[in-house]
Amino acid sequence: MTPVDDPAPSQDLLLFLASTAHDMKNSISVLSGTLERLLVGAGPHPDAAYPQMAQMLYQTRRLNDNLMQLLALYKRVGTPEYPFDVQPIEAAQLLDQVVSLGRVLLDAKGIALEVEGDRDLIWHLDEDLIVGVVSHAVNNAAHYTRDRIRLALREAGGLLEIRVEDNGDGYPQPLLDAGAAGLDGAASGIDFRTNSAGLGLHFSREVARMHRHRGREGSVRLENGGAFGGGCFVLSLP
């Protein structure tokens, strides 16, 4: 087979793409931070520029999340080679981090974030990965909710259940079916809500599966309903 016929990308190309994605992520992080500071300084304002800046912040967050997920997948998240760091973490610490990361965007878009959970609960998990997954779910909900998001955490059946719910229109059944296929490992071939080819779902599933205890492993599911009747992202960890 000639090099032209070889469909496998070379390691040099993969390294080049990863380096490019890393540079893009750094630039977008700077842009996102600048937008956050501008929004905090401006405060809620009826001027047309304010909601446009909030939308720009949402889009930069989304891009940054996607690039971070790509880089994590490139580093083989979900395999033994990945530096998986499980530590006992207080629920309060986890919830506070997610709220802190989403606060400026949610305030700018006029979205109320309701947080529920046993703050004294302690669970063993990879803090950085789980905060990333849940924050991405909150960012996604911010685009589809009418004005409310619920972040809930509880222990149920020996699992830590983290729910991100919104009061939007919920997931159409074809997308729920496509999402279920993607979460089961089958290729859905359909953009899922974020128009990002299901990258966020795939990443969330891989992170959930890394968390294993006594023969059980983490999972992600999507459903409609919850406390607000809209879309629900549910992460369960053993």
Side-chain angles (χ1 to χ4, degrees):
M1 179 178 289
T2 66
V4 174
D5 297 327
D6 187 354
S10 69
Q11 188 63 26
D12 287 344
L13 176 59
L14 292 176
L15 285 171
F16 172 76
L17 292 176
S19 176
T20 301
H22 190 267
D23 287 345
M24 292 169 63
K25 184 191 74 64
N26 287 344
S27 296
I28 291 171
S29 293
V30 171
L31 178 59
S32 179
T34 302
L35 282 170
E36 280 197 28
R37 289 191 292 275
L38 288 173
L39 283 165
V40 170
H45 197 279
D47 189 283
Y50 188 83
Q52 290 174 357
M53 288 168 59
Q55 181 61 17
M56 289 172 63
L57 178 59
Y58 163 75
Q59 294 294 348
T60 57
R61 285 277 184 82
R62 178 168 167 263
L63 279 172
N64 194 59
D65 286 351
N66 288 346
L67 288 170
M68 289 184 69
Q69 290 163 358
L70 280 174
L71 288 169
L73 292 170
Y74 170 76
K75 294 177 180 176
R76 300 178 63 78
V77 64
T79 69
E81 294 83 4
Y82 190 85
F84 187 46
D85 185 22
V86 172
Q87 300 289 338
I89 304 296
E90 290 185 357
Q93 181 178 337
L94 183 67
L95 293 172
D96 288 347
Q97 283 198 63
V98 175
V99 170
S100 176
L101 287 170
R103 177 59 65 195
V104 173
L105 173 64
L106 298 178
D107 286 349
K109 293 174 75 70
I111 297 170
L113 176 62
E114 301 179 16
V115 182
E116 299 178 17
D118 179 1
R119 296 179 63 84
D120 295 327
L121 183 65
I122 296 177
W123 212 261
H124 286 74
L125 49 84
D126 186 305
E127 184 177 13
D128 290 339
L129 287 175
I130 296 303
V131 168
V133 166
V134 179
S135 294
H136 182 73
V138 171
N139 288 345
N140 191 36
H143 189 60
Y144 293 95
T145 185
R146 292 188 176 90
D147 55 8
R148 297 172 70 190
I149 294 175
R150 175 174 179 261
L151 171 61
L153 181 153
R154 65 168 185 166
E155 181 180 3
L159 297 172
L160 177 67
E161 183 181 88
I162 305 174
R163 302 178 64 92
V164 178
E165 305 174 349
D166 65 62
N167 66 344
D169 294 333
Y171 298 96
Q173 190 58 47
L175 291 184
L176 283 175
D177 294 341
L183 291 171
D184 288 339
S188 67
I190 298 175
D191 289 353
F192 188 77
R193 242 189 155 186
T194 60
N195 295 321
S196 62
L199 174 64
L201 276 177
H202 176 73
F203 178 77
S204 299
R205 181 195 63 190
E206 293 302 316
V207 169
R209 286 180 173 175
M210 292 174 72
H211 290 78
R212 298 172 181 168
H213 183 61
R214 295 182 177 176
R216 308 175 78 179
E217 67 178 21
S219 65
V220 172
R221 72 177 188 273
L222 303 163
E223 60 190 36
N224 289 330
F228 297 158
C232 306
F233 172 91
V234 185
L235 171 65
S236 297
L237 301 174

